[in-house]
């Protein structure tokens, strides 16, 4: 069972994540950057899923923290609106990017995946690949 750290300041989004993931993984919910940072430093999760917007910080700070350590944590960063430039920046950090409208379907798929790719090679400007 994967350990997942889910970071979002909105309690409704955290509840959505808990309901979607608790049956398939061990999930810890964090409301702020500081608590998530502490968790990443003490016991890195298998999977980090974070909002790009975390008040004075952003989710990429957590991704960078994990990348600079010896953790093998896979990282997913999501945003509320599709922004090609932001998506490319997230990909450059080595994280997967998802948009909030896709999140309901994406969360369980991410948790159930046997292995996530090392890099997100999808084209950020193409929101629907069907």
């Amino acid at each position: 069972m994967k350990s997942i750290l889910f970071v979002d300041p909105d309690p409704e989004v955290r509840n959505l994540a808990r309901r979607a993931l608790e049956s398939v993984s061990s999930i810890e919910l964090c409301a702020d950057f500081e608590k998530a940072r502490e968790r990443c430093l003490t016991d890195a999760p298998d999977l980090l899923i974070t909002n790009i917007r975390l008040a004075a910080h952003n989710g990429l700070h957590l991704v960078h923290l994990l990348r600079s350590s010896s953790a093998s944590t896979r990282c997913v960063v999501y945003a509320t609106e599709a922004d090609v430039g932001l998506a490319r920046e997230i990909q450059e950090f080595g994280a997967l990017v998802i948009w909030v409208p896709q999140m309901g379907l994406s969360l369980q798929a991410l948790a159930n995946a046997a292995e996530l790719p090392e890099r997100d090679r999808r084209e950020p400007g193409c929101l629907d690949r069907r």
Side-chain angles (χ1 to χ4, degrees), residues 29-78:
L29 305 171
C30 284
D32 59 60
F33 173 82
E34 288 77 18
K35 193 177 288 184
R37 180 183 183 278
E38 182 180 315
R39 168 63 161 77
C40 288
L41 289 172
T42 58
D43 185 23
D46 296 321
L47 179 63
L48 168 72
I49 303 174
T50 182
N51 192 328
I52 189 69
R53 308 266 182 249
L54 299 175
H57 297 90
N58 70 46
L60 289 179
H61 290 119
L62 293 172
V63 173
H64 180 68
L65 174 73
L66 288 165
R67 291 286 175 259
S68 63
S69 72
S70 60
S72 62
T73 302
R74 299 299 304 132
C75 301
V76 177
V77 179
Y78 63 91

Side-chain angles (χ1 to χ4, degrees), residues 4-26:
I4 297 177
L5 178 60
F6 187 90
V7 188
D8 194 290
D10 185 337
E12 288 183 30
V13 175
R14 290 193 311 273
N15 280 331
L16 167 80
R18 182 186 47 77
R19 287 191 306 273
L21 298 171
E22 68 186 352
S23 65
V24 294
S25 63
S26 169

